[in-house]
Amino acid sequence: MLVSDIDEHKKKKRPTLARQRHGLVLMAFTVLMAAFASAVLPAPALAAPPIADAGSDQIVEQYERVTFDGSGSTDDVGIVNYTWSFIYGDNVWQLYGEVNDSFYFIEMGNYTVTLNVTDGDGESSTDEMIVTVIKEKVNFIEDYWWSLPIIGATITAVVILWIVLYSGLDVVSVPTREKSRLLMHRFRYVSKQVVTHKMGAVGTAILGFFFALAVFGPLLAPYSVDPASDDVTELYLKPSPEHWMGTDSRGVDIYSQLLHGARTSIIVGIFAAIIASLMGAAIGLYSGYIGGWQDEVIMRVNDVILSIPWLVLMILLAAMVGEITLTLLIVIIGVTGWSGTARLVRAQVMSLRERMYVERARAIGSGDMHIINKHIMPNAFPLIFANTILTVAISILSEATLSFLRMRPVGTTTWGTMLSYAEQSSALQSGLYWWIIAPGLCIVFLVLGFTLLGHALDEVVNPRLRRR
Amino acid sequence: MSKSSMRKMLLRRGVNIIITIFGIMTLNFILVHAMPGDPILNMVPRDPKLDPAYKEALVDKFNLDASLPERYVTYLWNTITLDWGTSYMQDHREVVDIVFTDMRWTVLLIGTSTIITLILGMLIGAYGAYTRGGAFDMSSTALMLFFYGMPIFWFGLVLQMLFSTYPAGMDWWPQLPTGGYYDTVEHGSTFHWDFWLILSVLEHLILPSMTLAVGSLAGVAIVMRSSLLDVMSEDYILTARAKGLTDFQVLRLHAMPNGMPPMIALIALSLAFVIGGAYQIEYVFNYPGIGFRTLNAIWELDFPLLQFIVVIGGVAVVIANFLADIILIFIDPRIKIA
């Protein structure tokens, strides 16, 4: 054996032995250190379970969207998941994910709201709170604001008419009186023409029926349409003497809903049409009278609005708003509906502007406002008015369509929302045919009434059409 | 019309069209991006164990953290370079691919119903004008006014109701499919050219196209009738009668050609309306076309898809109106160039 080989041998053997002994020492050392560490040093942070905090109990009103804040929850590792669950009777809704989540309370009574938080180690904790939902308080100004201008205008009109026609006081000059007499005469003439016109008479009769329904319908309704009221009975009841058209998917009487729907449909139609017509008339008047580059700009904007399909525009606006109330619905329909009227008024104003009497008025030094007030508006107004009546019909249809596509106004009953619920809960399969047929027929006849009246008015005030 | 004035008019209209399309794109961008909600929340699954890098990658890919003006400029540039991007949902398929797949069904629906509408509407309108004041005229006008006030989706529901039951126990009453585009149970979910499949497509097309046709029938019939009545009171009709033409010849040779211009304007103008109607019908009948896709895109906040659909619809309407104007100029020499 060579020396070097022996050395190799030694080198091979001894370190192995040494390592083994060393390993034993190391092991002992480690155990000792661990014992020492556990005895002397503070224990390493074991993950503590998170503490959930859902907030304190609340009382909210019906149809209110409440945002819950789970940010009070604490954990040392960090919370990765929040789960909110809302329990009402047998119904459970769960929302995953966010610290803040909002929930929309529809039913009256107690909801149990539970927040479950999970931390990074998979440990979780739960906190519970009670939300009591009370009946929505009716605020007269907020809910019936639309009636204030009508009441005001009616009182003013009655007072003015009384002063003008029946008082012998000198507050009214003779020419004014003569003018108002002529106005009355013209009004009588137009209404006589409309009523003797076949279409106009039918339209007026239909509208009379629906206006009566709008005023008295809710009083005639045998049951409440509030899904939270005591009148709610079994779901999907077939027509019976108690429930003439059965009950819907929420247990609400369908016939009562039908009677309630007339008012909202007419309100939506009329107010949306007024917004659309006012905007359209103002824009058309400006564009047609001023002309020039302003006209170009307005007409291009008008082209854009007319080119995007009408329904798409309304759906996008409605989606933008999120939660739709009746007022918002009226504004959406009104704001998207002005372009047709604007075009019509513009064309009319452009032709009126070139008339001889406008030229003459300008020659004797009349200002623009005077010409618009005295010469253009009186001639354009009948057309605008007839067009407004036709716009009402379109607005009613728009409301029904938007509601049907599940963009329905919250907390109100319209014929559109009835159809929407019917489609959503498959009325066809449950055999509740009236649920679909009745609201649809009501919409058709209401729209028909406005269309007939509008066409009749158009023919009376628009002499170009009369020869037909 | 002289050639140069024609050229001038075309140029003017062309510039107007470009401005209008630009306006449509801008309004579209504003409306789409003003919708509440963050699309990224819909794109990533709500799973606490999800790798945050996945979300980051998506935000990066769709440029979601850019400011609105920045995104607007990108959007305009991509539009000009015809790069419409990919959908946020639908496995990030190309937007163009999705839209053109769905468009086939919508075009089929709109095309069929428009043909039915035009033929029926013109016949009813013309015959009504021809027998003016008679029983047919009165009843058809009343019916058309009824159709005019009818929500299209409601008529769809009523037809569904009629053809999915046996009214009054009549067991011979035909039953028609009330949803879908063909029988996917029998023929599989991918479309292919097969005789029975085409037959199934046609069968499923009956109710939706009837609904859409009836919904827009009223406009065509009423305009046809009134424009023919307008023409019939002209002097040259009297002349034609005086020289001994039969009623049919008068209608065919003198009244119809002169009653056409309002019809052509109406067809172009009502395209926007028909697209809106198709939306409702696709929703009622579960017909997988553009309208169905749009509603889904709104609910899912799928911005690229939504933008493309709205722009395509707007551009189609603009071009239809432009074509109608051109045709009107050619067939009606009385129209002066504005």
Side-chain angles (χ1 to χ4, degrees):
Chain A
M1 223 183 243
L2 289 167
V3 179
S4 57
D5 283 342
I6 294 170
D7 280 344
E8 274 297 308
H9 181 70
K10 277 175 185 166
K11 263 182 200 159
K12 248 185 209 165
K13 279 279 177 192
R14 284 183 62 192
T16 323
L17 275 173
R19 196 157 59 230
Q20 276 170 352
R21 285 201 199 109
H22 195 67
L24 274 177
V25 171
L26 258 178
M27 269 168 69
F29 180 72
T30 318
V31 170
L32 264 176
M33 279 307 286
F36 174 75
S38 60
V40 177
L41 295 174
L46 275 177
I51 301 156
D53 180 14
S56 49
D57 294 357
Q58 293 188 24
I59 298 177
V60 300
E61 275 182 28
Q62 237 183 321
Y63 307 121
E64 197 176 329
R65 186 173 275 288
V66 183
T67 305
F68 292 97
D69 184 10
S71 58
S73 312
T74 49
D75 185 63
D76 43 2
V77 185
I79 296 172
V80 293
N81 189 30
Y82 294 82
T83 309
W84 291 93
S85 31
F86 300 85
I87 304 162
Y88 179 81
D90 298 334
N91 298 330
V92 180
W93 296 268
Q94 283 200 322
L95 303 171
Y96 295 98
E98 300 304 306
V99 184
N100 299 322
D101 249 319
S102 60
F103 190 75
Y104 183 57
F105 290 98
I106 298 174
E107 313 291 339
M108 258 166 48
N110 284 343
Y111 282 74
T112 312
V113 179
T114 325
L115 170 64
N116 188 315
V117 294
T118 316
D119 67 5
D121 301 330
E123 290 189 86
S124 65
S125 130
T126 307
D127 189 30
E128 214 177 75
M129 65 187 279
I130 307 284
V131 174
T132 312
V133 181
I134 54 170
K135 196 167 167 48
E136 188 183 27
K137 291 195 194 82
V138 175
N139 182 331
F140 182 81
I141 302 292
E142 253 178 44
D143 296 346
Y144 296 102
W145 57 268
W146 49 267
S147 64
L148 292 179
I150 301 180
I151 296 171
T154 318
I155 294 175
T156 322
V158 169
V159 169
I160 289 176
L161 264 184
W162 184 74
I163 292 177
V164 166
L165 293 176
Y166 296 106
S167 81
L169 297 174
D170 287 341
V171 276
V172 188
S173 62
V174 175
T176 315
R177 254 171 112 171
E178 186 58 22
K179 223 191 220 165
S180 60
R181 197 187 62 75
L182 280 173
L183 198 71
M184 276 301 277
H185 179 77
R186 192 166 171 207
F187 177 71
R188 280 208 196 111
Y189 169 75
V190 169
S191 40
K192 199 178 160 194
Q193 285 282 316
V194 166
V195 173
T196 47
H197 191 281
K198 239 183 263 167
M199 276 158 74
V202 175
T204 315
I206 293 175
L207 285 188
F209 172 74
F210 277 111
F211 273 93
L213 203 62
V215 175
F216 300 111
L219 301 176
L220 295 173
Y223 299 96
S224 164
V225 291
D226 188 359
S229 72
D230 298 335
D231 288 345
V232 171
T233 53
E234 235 177 289
L235 317 182
Y236 301 113
L237 276 183
K238 288 268 155 61
S240 64
E242 286 81 45
H243 297 278
W244 288 2
M245 294 179 182
T247 58
D248 72 358
S249 55
R250 300 167 301 167
V252 183
D253 186 42
I254 292 175
Y255 176 62
S256 306
Q257 288 186 49
L258 199 66
L259 291 179
H260 273 269
R263 185 180 287 182
T264 28
S265 293
I266 288 180
I267 287 173
V268 171
I270 289 182
F271 278 88
I274 287 177
I275 292 178
S277 285
L278 282 182
M279 278 181 77
I283 291 170
L285 196 65
Y286 183 80
S287 169
Y289 190 78
I290 304 285
W293 65 269
Q294 289 104 321
D295 180 37
E296 276 296 317
V297 170
I298 289 173
M299 286 331 283
R300 290 293 80 74
V301 172
N302 205 339
D303 277 353
V304 169
I305 290 181
L306 278 176
S307 302
I308 296 184
W310 139 93
L311 188 63
V312 182
L313 195 62
M314 275 199 311
I315 292 175
L316 282 179
L317 272 181
M320 201 172 93
V321 171
E323 197 174 284
I324 305 167
T325 60
L326 199 63
T327 324
L328 274 176
L329 193 71
I330 290 173
V331 172
I332 289 172
I333 297 173
V335 165
T336 49
W338 58 267
S339 42
T341 314
R343 216 168 235 213
L344 193 78
V345 173
R346 173 177 172 269
Q348 177 81 356
V349 169
M350 279 171 90
S351 97
L352 287 174
R353 197 179 56 175
E354 307 299 329
R355 298 281 165 89
M356 199 51 89
Y357 54 81
V358 175
E359 202 92 343
R360 254 179 241 145
R362 213 190 294 277
I364 58 170
S366 311
D368 284 342
M369 277 325 278
H370 178 85
I371 292 175
I372 288 175
N373 275 334
K374 298 284 171 186
H375 298 292
I376 301 223
M377 264 324 261
N379 285 304
F381 181 74
L383 189 75
I384 297 174
F385 186 70
N387 190 56
T388 307
I389 304 276
L390 291 175
T391 315
V392 174
I394 296 169
S395 305
I396 291 171
L397 279 180
S398 307
E399 183 271 326
T401 312
L402 268 189
S403 298
F404 181 72
L405 295 175
R406 305 203 188 170
M407 318 227 164
R408 41 190 178 224
V410 290
T412 41
T413 306
T414 68
W415 293 326
T417 57
M418 286 176 71
L419 284 172
S420 161
Y421 280 119
E423 191 266 351
Q424 199 175 341
S425 41
S426 36
L428 284 180
Q429 278 75 31
S430 46
L432 286 165
Y433 301 126
W434 278 115
W435 195 6
I436 288 179
I437 293 178
L441 277 183
C442 283
I443 294 173
V444 173
F445 278 104
L446 183 57
V447 172
L448 188 65
F450 277 111
T451 315
L452 288 177
L453 185 64
H455 277 305
L457 265 178
D458 211 19
E459 274 185 38
V460 173
V461 299
N462 207 350
R464 199 178 57 81
L465 300 172
R466 213 178 295 159
R467 71 195 156 113
R468 276 185 211 144
Chain B
M1 176 191 325
S2 71
K3 230 171 190 171
S4 75
S5 69
M6 178 83 185
R7 202 174 299 140
K8 219 180 263 172
M9 195 267 324
L10 279 181
L11 195 70
R12 210 178 107 95
R13 293 302 305 263
V15 171
N16 277 355
I17 284 181
I18 291 171
I19 294 175
T20 309
I21 291 177
F22 177 75
I24 291 172
M25 280 164 54
T26 307
L27 182 66
N28 175 16
F29 181 85
I30 294 172
L31 284 176
V32 166
H33 284 268
M35 284 206 289
D38 191 354
I40 191 76
L41 290 181
N42 289 333
M43 281 148 70
V44 295
R46 284 196 168 184
D47 181 2
K49 291 181 209 69
L50 188 82
D51 185 7
Y54 177 65
K55 193 170 164 179
E56 296 286 309
L58 279 181
V59 168
D60 231 36
K61 179 177 179 190
F62 291 112
N63 206 14
L64 283 174
D65 49 356
S67 66
L68 276 185
E70 216 174 299
R71 276 156 88 171
Y72 177 61
V73 173
T74 323
Y75 161 66
L76 283 188
W77 177 246
N78 285 348
T79 309
I80 293 168
T81 53
L82 298 180
D83 168 21
W84 294 95
T86 55
S87 161
Y88 286 170
M89 304 283 159
Q90 326 288 344
D91 302 330
H92 307 310
R93 272 167 66 199
E94 288 266 325
V95 165
V96 182
D97 178 34
I98 298 177
V99 170
F100 283 111
T101 314
D102 294 342
M103 187 99 92
R104 296 185 307 204
W105 299 106
T106 304
V107 167
L108 180 67
L109 179 63
I110 291 183
T112 320
S113 67
T114 306
I115 291 169
I116 300 175
T117 305
L118 283 183
I119 294 174
L120 267 183
M122 281 159 73
L123 280 180
I124 293 175
Y127 194 68
Y130 179 63
T131 60
R132 184 188 176 187
F136 178 83
D137 185 29
M138 295 304 271
S139 52
S140 74
T141 307
L143 196 65
M144 288 306 128
L145 281 171
F146 184 87
F147 285 159
Y148 184 77
M150 192 176 59
I152 297 178
F153 64 86
W154 176 72
F155 191 64
L157 287 177
V158 171
L159 281 188
Q160 274 188 348
M161 189 189 288
L162 269 180
F163 290 101
S164 64
T165 53
Y166 296 100
M170 300 182 287
D171 50 5
W172 47 266
W173 187 255
Q175 301 291 294
L176 289 172
T178 57
Y181 51 154
Y182 64 90
D183 196 343
T184 45
V185 178
E186 200 175 317
H187 299 287
S189 57
T190 46
F191 179 82
H192 51 274
W193 293 100
D194 174 68
F195 177 72
W196 296 108
L197 196 146
I198 303 293
L199 215 60
S200 173
V201 166
L202 291 182
E203 196 189 8
H204 280 73
L205 195 64
I206 297 176
L207 287 188
S209 61
M210 278 301 291
T211 314
L212 191 51
V214 169
S216 40
L217 183 64
V220 175
I222 290 175
V223 169
M224 187 75 214
R225 177 177 175 272
S226 66
S227 89
L228 270 188
L229 282 184
D230 242 13
V231 172
M232 297 279 238
S233 62
E234 299 283 348
D235 290 339
Y236 55 79
I237 298 289
L238 196 66
T239 316
R241 280 190 207 288
K243 71 184 184 193
L245 296 185
T246 63
D247 282 348
F248 181 76
Q249 279 171 324
V250 170
L251 196 67
R252 160 94 188 67
L253 297 173
H254 292 271
M256 279 295 234
N258 286 302
M260 271 294 111
M263 283 301 302
I264 289 169
L266 176 86
I267 294 166
L269 266 182
S270 66
L271 183 65
F273 179 80
V274 171
I275 292 177
Y279 276 47
Q280 301 172 32
I281 284 161
E282 287 174 9
Y283 178 76
V284 171
F285 287 98
N286 278 324
Y287 206 78
I290 291 288
F292 206 67
R293 188 68 81 186
T294 313
L295 290 172
N296 270 326
I298 288 175
W299 291 325
E300 290 177 340
L301 299 175
D302 195 344
F303 293 167
L305 187 58
L306 200 54
Q307 280 169 350
F308 185 56
I309 292 176
V310 176
V311 167
I312 278 279
V315 170
V317 173
V318 170
I319 289 177
N321 278 325
F322 178 64
L323 288 181
D325 281 354
I326 301 280
I327 294 172
L328 279 184
I329 287 172
F330 274 110
I331 67 169
D332 191 349
R334 287 171 299 182
I335 291 180
K336 278 181 286 172
I337 298 167

